[in-house]
Amino acid sequence: MLYCTAPEQLRELFPDEPRYRTNQLTEWLYRHPVLHAEEMMNLPRSMRERIAPQHWPFTLDIEQSADNGTTKKWLFRCTDGSLIETVLMGYSSRTTLCISSQVGCAMGCTFCATGQFGFDRHLDAGEIVAQVAYANAYLAETPLPRSPERVTNVVFMGMGEPLANYNATIESIRRMIEHMGISGRSITVSTVGFVPGMKKLIKEPWPVNLAVSLHSTIPSKRSKLVPINDRYPIDDVIDAANDYYETKGRRVSLEWTLISGENDSDEEAIGLARIARKIHAHVNIIALNPTPLSHDKPPSRDHIRRFIGTLKREGANVTLRDTRGQDIDAACGQLRLRADSS
Ligand code: SAH
Ligand code: SF4
């Protein structure tokens, strides 16, 4: 599969073609991607025919549309049959793509559909970056209403823990920045608090954003929701987030999935605000999107408002993330859950 070879090595796959041909191919794969190899107009027909069967590392299994066509959700089937999800969201000033980094996830967060499934395998760098290329190829043909016609922002908030698949994640980011023209400042890596990966990310050359999924400030509660807290305790996670901010000068965001009766108390809001102030972080609240394998529910609207009010009063910088595509099972891993059970 062509995306599974680094752009710099593509030449080795076409030893008989002159160098400019593989440069042209690189442009078609990364800078101006197209859905079908026959659209690679400046390549000879014989080369296009060779490319077609190895063009994408996956096929489209299901496409769903929501929010008046401003949200698209894709379920891709990889060559080994694994299923991964990608969600495209159009806003007036940006087009954001939410991508997967693993098939399943080993972290086992209780409220997450991907976690409930367990871990299958890592995605290859090509399978990660091809999700962005596919979205750009799609947008070139079918732009979302009133949104930029290219992916402007990438978030690693689909299936998987990107920092547990470190090398592939980093190589995919490198290709987005060096070959697709996406700025590091527009890429967000979301982590459950995988401390070794956070420390390595600090040393990378790009100014990517870091989002840390906290969900509780009370260690015993956090261990219940996010079992990896036993291995990488919250204090170490916060220290690594603070190092990231101080070294990179990029504000970290703290993600908090609000679950009724679990992590929506005043005590939690006060604890969260204290951490956010200490490390100059921004807080992102997201109401739980219920998953079929858990009885957890999101709090009521009023309760969410109250939690956010407490955070603000305690001096935290906070936004309520919109839950796009609820009617199409857009929560992490849910589309795959449905495809598997049908
Ligand atoms: N593994 C990484 C990135 C993928 S999950 C991480 O955990 O950060 C991306 C975000 O989706 C996380 O903040 C996670 O807490 C949130 N999430 C997972 N399941 C959810 C659900 N059912 N409802 C709302 N948010 C969810
Ligand atoms: Fe994995 Fe993130 Fe889901 Fe936790 S929330 S199980 S780390 S994908």
Side-chain angles (χ1 to χ4, degrees):
M1 296 298 124
L2 295 180
Y3 286 99
C4 298
T5 301
E8 294 76 7
Q9 261 99 54
L10 277 173
R11 234 187 131 214
E12 292 160 23
L13 300 183
F14 300 91
D16 302 332
E17 299 289 346
R19 179 182 287 272
Y20 75 90
R21 285 276 180 239
T22 37
N23 290 344
Q24 287 170 326
L25 173 59
T26 305
E27 289 274 310
W28 288 120
L29 293 180
Y30 292 92
R31 192 68 67 164
H32 302 290
V34 282
L35 289 175
H36 308 287
E38 59 264 34
E39 297 167 61
M40 299 178 178
M41 294 313 291
N42 56 5
L43 299 183
R45 178 193 287 261
S46 61
M47 195 171 165
R48 282 183 269 157
E49 283 171 356
R50 261 187 75 193
I51 289 167
Q54 40 174 343
H55 184 184
W56 296 104
F58 41 60
T59 52
L60 180 64
D61 216 53
I62 302 179
E63 175 176 286
Q64 290 185 322
S65 186
D67 307 314
N68 298 320
T70 60
T71 303
K72 298 277 164 193
K73 179 154 179 163
W74 296 308
L75 185 71
F76 293 118
R77 187 176 293 274
C78 300
T79 48
D80 67 349
S82 301
L83 296 169
I84 55 168
E85 297 178 4
T86 307
V87 184
L88 182 67
M89 292 160 286
Y91 302 88
S92 55
S93 59
R94 62 186 202 280
T95 298
T96 299
L97 190 71
C98 176
I99 59 173
S100 294
S101 56
Q102 296 179 317
V103 184
C105 182
M107 304 296 145
C109 303
T110 51
F111 52 86
C112 168
T114 307
Q116 291 159 1
F117 241 92
F119 176 71
D120 224 335
R121 71 169 173 88
H122 292 304
L123 290 183
D124 175 87
E127 293 171 313
I128 301 175
V129 79
Q131 297 169 62
V132 185
Y134 185 94
N136 274 336
Y138 174 90
L139 286 167
E141 283 187 13
T142 327
L144 300 180
R146 297 172 297 283
S147 299
E149 294 182 13
R150 283 184 77 80
V151 172
T152 59
N153 295 68
V154 174
V155 296
F156 283 81
M157 293 189 183
M159 291 161 51
E161 168 51 45
L163 295 183
N165 183 15
Y166 191 82
N167 291 346
T169 293
I170 289 301
E171 171 60 10
S172 73
I173 291 174
R174 181 189 77 81
R175 291 191 212 169
M176 289 176 215
I177 294 172
E178 294 181 1
H179 293 278
M180 304 180 98
I182 297 176
S183 148
R185 290 186 168 75
S186 310
I187 298 173
T188 300
V189 174
S190 180
T191 179
V192 69
F194 199 79
V195 173
M198 293 168 76
K199 289 186 171 159
K200 278 203 256 178
L201 193 64
I202 294 174
K203 300 203 179 78
E204 300 293 346
W206 312 293
V208 297
N209 303 303
L210 182 67
V212 178
S213 298
L214 219 53
H215 310 311
S216 178
T217 60
I218 303 164
S220 57
K221 170 62 77 176
R222 188 165 194 266
S223 287
K224 184 184 159 212
L225 298 175
V226 181
I228 194 76
N229 188 65
D230 287 338
R231 198 150 121 216
Y232 304 116
I234 182 163
D235 289 345
D236 295 355
V237 173
I238 293 162
D239 281 351
N242 191 42
D243 285 351
Y244 196 87
Y245 169 69
E246 289 189 341
T247 312
K248 295 275 194 195
R250 307 285 302 157
R251 247 175 225 279
V252 170
S253 52
L254 300 176
E255 307 290 310
W256 192 281
T257 296
L258 210 47
I259 309 168
S260 178
E262 292 284 351
N263 61 359
D264 58 350
S265 65
D266 284 351
E267 182 194 358
E268 288 278 26
I270 293 166
L272 172 57
R274 191 177 50 78
I275 294 168
R277 285 196 318 265
K278 188 169 137 205
I279 67 168
H280 305 272
H282 185 94
V283 176
N284 270 323
I285 300 293
I286 178 160
L288 177 79
N289 213 333
T291 59
L293 299 185
S294 152
H295 295 299
D296 286 334
K297 300 256 174 319
S300 67
R301 270 211 167 122
D302 277 355
H303 197 98
I304 296 173
R305 219 172 289 141
R306 180 192 157 102
F307 190 84
I308 289 175
T310 310
L311 279 169
K312 285 187 175 158
R313 219 171 26 253
E314 295 291 322
N317 203 318
V318 53
T319 15
L320 176 64
R321 262 205 353 228
D322 65 341
T323 39
R324 280 290 185 101
Q326 273 197 322
D327 49 330
I328 53 166
D329 307 321
C332 205
Q334 287 191 51
L335 184 61
R336 186 180 66 148
L337 208 66
R338 209 165 70 172
D340 278 11
S341 59
S342 61

